[in-house]
Amino acid sequence: SQELEQSPQSLIVQEGKNLTINCTSSKTLYGLYWYKQKYGEGLIFLMMLQKGGEEKSHEKITAKLDEKKQQSSLHITASQPSHAGIYLCGADMLNNTDKLIFGTGTRLQVFP
Amino acid sequence: SQTIHQWPATLVQPVGSPLSLECTVEGTSNPNLYWYRQAAGRGLQLLFYSVGIGQISSEVPQNLSASRPQDRQFILSSKKLLLSDSGFYLCAWSGPSGYQETQYFGPGTRLLVL
């Protein structure tokens, strides 16, 4: 079973719509990282969350880590075609960032 | 600023042939280095990580090996490729402390073994 579950696996939204991607673990997350990947390319770092209840924003993307530090959500407001790609969450579950566990990713498509 | 390079970008190799993928980092010293593989429909799987020259930790038993001949150079190798080695290989680096350090990824190498 996957230690880090991402949902949904795939998402198709119309431009301008809001959307949320979730990343859930049964274990405490000591560090939670969100990355974006365009097909066939490397991962681009978006945000890192460490503290329970923490929330960070960058342009139209907001990420939150719940108080229990077991779930994170990534919210995109007024989506644009440039937001399309694969979003991956990675987590430090051992309090040792040498080893990140990654979710399977969420493929986002945004159509005009 | 720091940059990470990987090459080649794409590689098609026959089964049984050797492999050498290279990753180099610029603009930082004594980074932690990582090799990941991304297979279709799966997340990233950590293959190897290194905290210093000549120090390699393997995460999963496999047909691959890694080496770090220089501080900012990380090489992924195989003596004989298998079909199952096909995938997208990503190299990443993080600060030397490791703890709570963000990992930054290279552009990746797509490997197809036929």
Side-chain angles (χ1 to χ4, degrees), chain B residues 16-53:
Chain B
S17 64
L19 173 74
S20 181
L21 302 182
E22 190 162 343
C23 171
T24 58
V25 182
E26 294 177 359
T28 186
S29 296
N30 196 28
N32 286 357
L33 296 172
Y34 312 82
W35 276 113
Y36 289 88
R37 176 167 56 203
Q38 186 178 35
R42 301 183 187 178
L44 289 173
Q45 181 184 36
L46 179 63
L47 302 176
F48 302 94
Y49 72 97
S50 171
V51 298
I53 295 175

Side-chain angles (χ1 to χ4, degrees), chain A:
Chain A
S1 64
Q2 195 72 20
E3 289 188 85
L4 209 56
E5 296 282 348
Q6 268 188 253
S7 63
Q9 289 186 324
S10 180
L11 199 53
I12 303 174
V13 300
Q14 187 175 26
E15 183 176 358
K17 297 294 185 185
N18 302 336
L19 64 104
T20 300
I21 298 169
N22 293 302
C23 180
T24 304
S25 171
S26 58
K27 301 177 183 178
T28 299
L29 306 174
Y30 292 96
L32 191 287
Y33 303 76
W34 282 102
Y35 291 88
K36 178 186 174 185
Q37 183 182 31
K38 292 199 170 181
Y39 180 73
E41 298 181 10
L43 277 66
I44 305 298
F45 170 70
L46 296 176
M47 280 172 276
M48 180 184 112
L49 305 167
Q50 294 175 249
K51 301 175 183 176
E54 186 175 8
E55 179 176 323
K56 287 185 178 178
S57 293
H58 176 68
E59 297 179 344
K60 293 185 179 180
I61 301 177
T62 300
K64 301 177 185 179
L65 183 62
D66 74 338
E67 290 289 345
K68 285 187 177 180
K69 294 171 62 176
Q70 288 183 312
Q71 183 175 12
S72 178
S73 60
L74 185 81
H75 185 78
I76 299 178
T77 304
S79 58
Q80 299 169 359
S82 60
H83 287 127
I86 300 171
Y87 289 81
L88 283 146
C89 63
D92 171 12
M93 294 183 174
L94 302 173
N95 204 16
N96 170 9
T97 310
D98 281 352
K99 299 182 181 181
L100 290 185
I101 305 295
F102 283 85
T104 53
T106 296
R107 184 178 295 273
L108 172 64
Q109 294 174 265
V110 181
F111 64 94

Side-chain angles (χ1 to χ4, degrees), chain B:
Chain B
S1 63
Q2 301 87 3
T3 54
I4 179 169
H5 305 278
Q6 281 186 249
W7 65 88
T10 306
L11 193 59
V12 180
Q13 292 284 94
V15 169
S17 64
L19 173 74
S20 181
L21 302 182
E22 190 162 343
C23 171
T24 58
V25 182
E26 294 177 359
T28 186
S29 296
N30 196 28
N32 286 357
L33 296 172
Y34 312 82
W35 276 113
Y36 289 88
R37 176 167 56 203
Q38 186 178 35
R42 301 183 187 178
L44 289 173
Q45 181 184 36
L46 179 63
L47 302 176
F48 302 94
Y49 72 97
S50 171
V51 298
I53 295 175
Q55 300 178 61
I56 310 293
S57 296
S58 175
E59 288 301 296
V60 293
Q62 58 205 320
N63 184 42
L64 303 168
S65 62
S67 62
R68 186 169 176 175
Q70 299 180 40
D71 181 43
R72 289 169 288 180
Q73 184 185 29
F74 206 21
I75 297 172
L76 184 69
S77 305
S78 173
K79 291 182 179 178
K80 287 186 179 181
L81 283 169
L82 305 173
L83 286 173
S84 57
D85 291 325
S86 293
F88 192 54
Y89 289 83
L90 286 155
C91 179
W93 72 273
S94 70
S97 71
Y99 182 71
Q100 299 296 343
E101 292 273 4
T102 299
Q103 291 182 23
Y104 297 94
F105 287 78
T109 294
R110 185 163 301 280
L111 172 66
L112 180 60
V113 182
L114 301 175

